[in-house]
Amino acid sequence: MIHFIRNDIYTINLFITFAIKSSPLLMAELINITIPGQKKSYSLKDITIIGRASTTDIRLDDPMVSRHHARISKSNSGFLIEDLGSRNGVFLNDERITSPYPLTNGSKVCIGPYTLVFNDAESAHPSPREYVSNEFTQIIMATKEPLPVESIDEAICHEITNKAEFVQLQKRLKIFHDITNAIGNIFDIDALLEEIIKIIFTVFPHAGRCFVALQDSDETQLTIRTIHTKDSDLGEENHIMSQTLAQRAINEQKSLLVMDTQMDSNVSVSMKIIGARSILCAPLICPQKTLGILQMESKSKNYEFSKADLNLFTGIASQVALLIYNAELFDELKKSKERIESENKNLKKQQKVHSAFSNIIGESLKIKEVLELVKKVCNAPYSVLITGKSGSGKELIAKSIHYNSSRSDQPFVVLNCAAIPRDLLESELFGHEKGAFTGAVETKQGLFEVANKGTIFLDEIGDMHPHTQAKLLRVLQEKELQRVGGTKVIKIDVRILAATNKDLKTAIGSGEFREDLFYRLNVVPVHIPPLCERREDIPLLIAHFLETSCADVGKRVKGFTPEAVTLLLNYSWPGNVRELRNVVERIVTLAPDDSMLGVDMLPQEISNKSVVQLQKYKSTGTLYEAQKQLEIEMIMDALKSAEGNKSRAAELLGISRKVLYEKIEAYKIS
């Protein structure tokens, strides 16, 4: 989810600074060396309270400092410092103290962003030396730790104590407000950075060069992404930057200020090449990672960036980091959306190809009649009821109807009514409102809404509960629905295809299925014959499943022996096409590579239940000839057993009387 900017006092108040009152110098003192070259001394009493409150002895006005932060007490052995339960701690010589600790001459005390040195004039030790950074003597840290959210609100109540401070706060609020208004809706990263730098030049008129450097995906390399300069001497063309300064800001998660680079002989060579005298460098920190840095430089001899500039610059950097992070997320979402749309388009094309009529395997008269009927009803808006035994290919026919219709570019949604519990089926079909029932923690669209403008296929509709049938009838009649627990009427345009392996007329008689719903669904009935009624399609299906199974497992087989084909043709296939496919896939998976599939590879239920003797139908011809020979022999045997009664013979063969007459005529059996 994209993180939007909180353009409020919370962000601003992190960076408000106030003047510090001076105190007369006494024998023991704390010396404020936070800003190099600017010392301030605070005399110590027997008990000295340090904090942000106006009643403290040493007032350090910064949100990082608690109202009553620390106490220094004089004892017989010297001075002790203790933490008064502050949020951000008291650090003595870079170690956080948890109990009263003695101060020695030269001890360094860190409270919030302030660095103070203890000096006891009565001590024999020399006065404290200046604390110098090993890289940049002019660096000031903006913050040591992030301020907790709770203390921000508390700080606001106590910081705005006079008109000047209020005016300063208003000015900074306006800056952040202007940033949000100007670039809050820009999600192209390069355009965003261009606008950011323009605003920074407006806020800091003394700046000569400003740039944003971003880390790569591995966070190992930092390169300048966007740079602008008002001073050509500051090296825009060469994109020169101080890697040392940048990496320090990133590693320490702190903003840095170099007030005057010319004062320090230890300043890196790259900074001297740049020619900048004063530099501000802030890390771009967002919730998950550090993106890079925002850096601003000035070559002016008459202006040095101040602590107030550092605070404001840090605040701007925090807002810029979230804006860049938003833009990166938006870019990723846009690319993901484009990729998903492309994949979805390709999948629809593949599905349309796979659902073409040419992919329905079969040359029997019955399957041809089914396909002719399906082609006629594809573009009709009416409901279709597909009947047939389990595994006969009802869903394949439903897909062919949808993907060869005018709705082919719209959703095709499938729901097996027998697989969903009664209590959940209504929610799946019609959706539900938040709080409609226990566990409904959010509003959910039903499948009818998802399938709007497209087709919904309700498989095993004979298992739907009568109460749900009544709601489905309303959808069919009125083309509208209401979500579970809702009152809003939602208009839909969905074509309904339904399928069942049950006899719905019998279910109507027993009260299990609504008669009015049956007639609404059964506008165009399509019946899929079982495999045992179209045995002439079995060789074609075997060849097709052999090809696809070999491709799936990366194996080659030579095919079935004539004896195996005979048994496959003679089997009754109660599971229809699905069972045949499973048998072929199982055999191919277990068979040796480049082998001939014999009777020994067939499942026991197929090889043991032949109604004819295997040797009787041995053939050395083609698969078609073997099939033809088998059918002639079986028909003749059946007629002989039925003493010429064709109805009885058809019953023995498991086919209709019509099919028997067709085969007798085709094979010229007398």
Side-chain angles (χ1 to χ4, degrees):
M1 182 181 291
I2 296 179
H3 296 263
F4 290 96
I5 306 302
R6 286 192 59 198
N7 185 24
D8 53 18
I9 297 178
Y10 166 72
T11 307
I12 308 298
N13 200 57
L14 284 169
F15 315 106
I16 298 177
T17 56
F18 299 92
I20 303 171
K21 296 179 180 179
S22 61
S23 302
L25 181 65
L26 296 178
M27 297 302 290
E29 61 184 355
L30 281 180
I31 303 173
N32 187 345
I33 62 167
T34 304
I35 301 177
Q38 298 183 25
K39 296 182 182 179
K40 193 171 187 66
S41 178
Y42 305 95
S43 60
L44 298 179
K45 300 184 289 186
D46 289 346
I47 296 178
T48 303
I49 304 298
I50 305 171
R52 198 182 68 244
S54 58
T55 56
T56 54
D57 300 300
I58 299 177
R59 188 182 181 201
L60 302 179
D61 237 335
D62 191 278
M64 293 290 292
V65 181
S66 296
R67 290 178 53 74
H68 297 90
H69 200 108
R71 175 169 56 205
I72 297 178
S73 310
K74 187 175 182 180
S75 64
N76 294 332
S77 58
F79 285 89
L80 298 174
I81 186 169
E82 60 181 309
D83 191 338
L84 295 178
S86 65
R87 283 189 175 88
N88 296 304
V90 175
F91 293 81
L92 181 62
N93 296 325
D94 298 321
E95 297 270 340
R96 185 166 184 166
I97 63 172
T98 57
S99 59
Y101 206 88
L103 292 170
T104 58
N105 201 32
S107 294
K108 183 177 68 171
V109 178
C110 291
I111 296 176
Y114 295 92
T115 301
L116 308 108
V117 176
F118 176 71
N119 181 39
D120 188 354
E122 296 179 351
S123 172
H125 297 288
S127 298
R129 61 181 179 85
E130 293 282 353
Y131 283 84
V132 181
S133 166
N134 59 354
E135 293 185 11
F136 306 106
T137 58
Q138 303 302 317
I139 287 178
I140 297 177
M141 307 304 176
T143 55
K144 291 188 179 297
E145 294 178 4
L147 187 64
V149 175
E150 297 81 9
S151 63
I152 295 293
D153 296 329
E154 180 190 344
I156 292 170
C157 299
H158 300 282
E159 298 294 352
I160 307 173
T161 55
N162 56 54
K163 184 177 179 180
E165 292 171 359
F166 183 75
V167 170
Q168 183 186 34
L169 178 61
Q170 280 188 316
K171 180 181 177 181
R172 295 189 177 186
L173 276 171
K174 186 178 185 304
I175 292 171
F176 283 83
H177 183 265
D178 291 344
I179 291 174
T180 302
N181 282 348
I183 56 182
N185 293 320
I186 300 176
F187 292 104
D188 177 77
I189 293 180
D190 293 315
L192 176 69
L193 297 181
E194 292 280 345
E195 290 298 322
I196 287 171
I197 291 176
K198 287 180 184 177
I199 293 172
I200 288 175
F201 276 139
T202 302
V203 177
F204 299 95
H206 296 92
R209 187 175 83 147
C210 183
F211 65 84
V212 174
L214 301 178
Q215 297 192 96
D216 58 17
S217 57
D218 298 329
E219 299 187 5
T220 56
Q221 187 175 358
L222 194 67
T223 55
I224 293 178
R225 179 70 177 262
T226 303
I227 183 170
H228 278 256
T229 179
K230 291 192 292 187
D231 188 343
S232 58
D233 295 336
L234 285 176
E236 176 182 1
E237 293 182 0
N238 295 326
H239 280 42
I240 299 172
M241 63 179 289
S242 171
Q243 289 285 346
T244 307
L245 184 68
Q247 290 300 330
R248 179 168 179 178
I250 290 172
N251 293 336
E252 297 184 9
Q253 302 280 281
K254 299 171 183 176
S255 298
L256 308 176
L257 164 64
V258 181
M259 296 183 69
D260 190 348
T261 61
Q262 307 303 314
M263 292 174 57
D264 189 1
S265 60
N266 295 323
V267 169
S268 65
V269 175
S270 61
M271 292 174 69
K272 291 183 177 179
I273 294 175
I274 292 170
R277 293 183 66 95
S278 189
I279 300 174
L280 288 171
C281 179
L284 299 173
I285 304 170
C286 63
Q288 280 72 27
K289 60 181 179 178
T290 301
L291 301 173
I293 61 159
L294 175 65
Q295 186 162 313
M296 181 172 64
E297 302 155 358
S298 172
K299 197 178 178 182
S300 173
K301 297 180 180 178
N302 301 319
Y303 183 84
E304 295 176 353
F305 291 130
S306 65
K307 176 74 183 301
D309 291 334
L310 176 65
N311 289 335
L312 179 57
F313 190 69
T314 304
I316 292 173
S318 69
Q319 194 172 25
V320 168
L322 289 176
L323 286 166
I324 295 174
Y325 185 60
N326 283 348
E328 287 184 345
L329 285 180
F330 184 83
D331 188 55
E332 289 176 10
L333 288 173
K334 185 179 177 182
K335 289 178 180 177
S336 297
K337 181 175 180 288
E338 291 172 353
R339 185 183 70 253
I340 290 169
E341 286 177 347
S342 176
E343 290 175 356
N344 190 37
K345 190 175 181 180
N346 291 333
L347 285 172
K348 281 186 176 181
K349 286 181 180 178
Q350 293 175 20
Q351 186 65 59
K352 197 167 185 177
V353 170
H354 293 156
S355 300
F357 293 120
S358 59
N359 286 305
I360 297 178
I361 310 299
E363 292 294 335
S364 65
L365 184 60
K366 286 199 170 186
I367 203 67
K368 285 182 178 179
E369 290 175 351
V370 170
L371 292 179
E372 285 300 318
L373 176 59
V374 167
K375 288 177 183 177
K376 292 177 182 178
V377 304
C378 278
N379 286 311
Y382 308 120
S383 301
V384 178
L385 180 61
I386 306 169
T387 58
K389 292 184 178 180
S390 179
S392 57
K394 296 187 289 296
E395 185 172 340
L396 182 60
I397 293 297
K399 286 181 178 178
S400 297
I401 293 173
H402 172 75
Y403 286 107
N404 289 281
S405 73
S406 57
R407 297 173 181 259
S408 58
D409 293 330
Q410 300 301 325
F412 178 71
V413 177
V414 179
L415 176 68
N416 189 321
C417 300
I420 308 294
R422 169 193 166 186
D423 295 338
L424 297 180
L425 185 57
E426 286 188 28
S427 174
E428 285 294 315
L429 285 173
F430 312 118
H432 63 254
E433 297 291 346
K434 181 178 179 181
F437 50 84
T438 303
V441 295
E442 60 183 1
T443 298
K444 177 189 173 184
Q445 279 190 334
L447 293 183
F448 271 104
E449 289 181 74
V450 174
N452 195 34
K453 304 297 182 183
T455 305
I456 187 168
F457 175 53
L458 302 176
D459 199 7
E460 306 298 348
I461 197 167
D463 294 303
M464 183 180 287
H465 191 271
H467 179 72
T468 310
Q469 291 176 28
K471 290 195 172 184
L472 177 59
L473 180 63
R474 175 176 173 79
V475 173
L476 278 163
Q477 291 175 335
E478 307 298 334
K479 303 293 183 183
E480 62 185 28
L481 59 84
Q482 287 178 306
R483 294 180 185 145
V484 176
T487 56
K488 180 182 177 183
V489 175
I490 301 170
K491 292 287 184 180
I492 58 165
D493 174 20
V494 179
R495 187 183 189 184
I496 297 178
L497 307 179
T500 182
N501 60 4
K502 292 185 175 182
D503 185 347
L504 292 186
K505 289 186 178 180
T506 302
I508 291 171
S510 63
E512 296 177 3
F513 202 82
R514 293 179 63 105
E515 186 176 13
D516 47 4
L517 177 60
F518 171 76
Y519 289 116
R520 278 288 180 178
L521 293 173
N522 199 40
V523 177
V524 182
V526 176
H527 178 70
I528 313 243
L531 191 56
C532 63
E533 292 183 12
R534 52 187 185 102
R535 292 183 185 274
E536 56 268 45
D537 291 335
I538 292 177
L540 297 173
L541 290 166
I542 290 173
H544 173 72
F545 294 144
L546 273 177
E547 182 182 351
T548 56
S549 300
C550 288
D552 289 341
V553 299
K555 185 184 292 185
R556 291 183 59 190
V557 295
K558 295 178 180 179
F560 286 99
T561 64
E563 294 86 352
V565 171
T566 300
L567 290 174
L568 291 169
L569 286 168
N570 190 53
Y571 184 56
S572 60
W573 298 110
N576 293 289
V577 180
R578 184 186 295 122
E579 183 184 6
L580 175 59
R581 179 173 185 167
N582 290 346
V583 167
V584 174
E585 288 176 347
R586 185 193 319 150
I587 291 172
V588 170
T589 302
L590 300 177
D593 198 13
D594 205 28
S595 63
M596 198 72 178
L597 307 176
V599 177
D600 58 315
M601 296 296 297
L602 298 178
Q604 187 176 5
E605 64 269 17
I606 295 176
S607 60
N608 287 348
K609 291 186 178 180
S610 175
V611 296
V612 294
Q613 294 295 321
L614 181 61
Q615 294 297 324
K616 187 176 181 180
Y617 302 107
K618 281 191 176 179
S619 173
T620 57
T622 63
L623 188 64
Y624 176 74
E625 290 170 345
Q627 174 193 348
K628 180 179 177 181
Q629 179 185 351
L630 171 64
E631 290 195 354
I632 292 171
E633 295 290 344
M634 289 184 67
I635 291 171
M636 291 178 67
D637 283 350
L639 287 170
K640 184 178 179 181
S641 299
E643 298 179 351
N645 186 322
K646 292 183 176 60
S647 297
R648 174 64 181 153
E651 187 178 340
L652 290 173
L653 290 168
I655 60 177
S656 67
R657 191 163 178 255
K658 180 183 175 184
V659 172
L660 178 60
Y661 273 105
E662 290 171 353
K663 292 186 180 294
I664 288 173
E665 184 179 350
Y667 296 144
K668 297 185 175 9
I669 299 173
S670 57

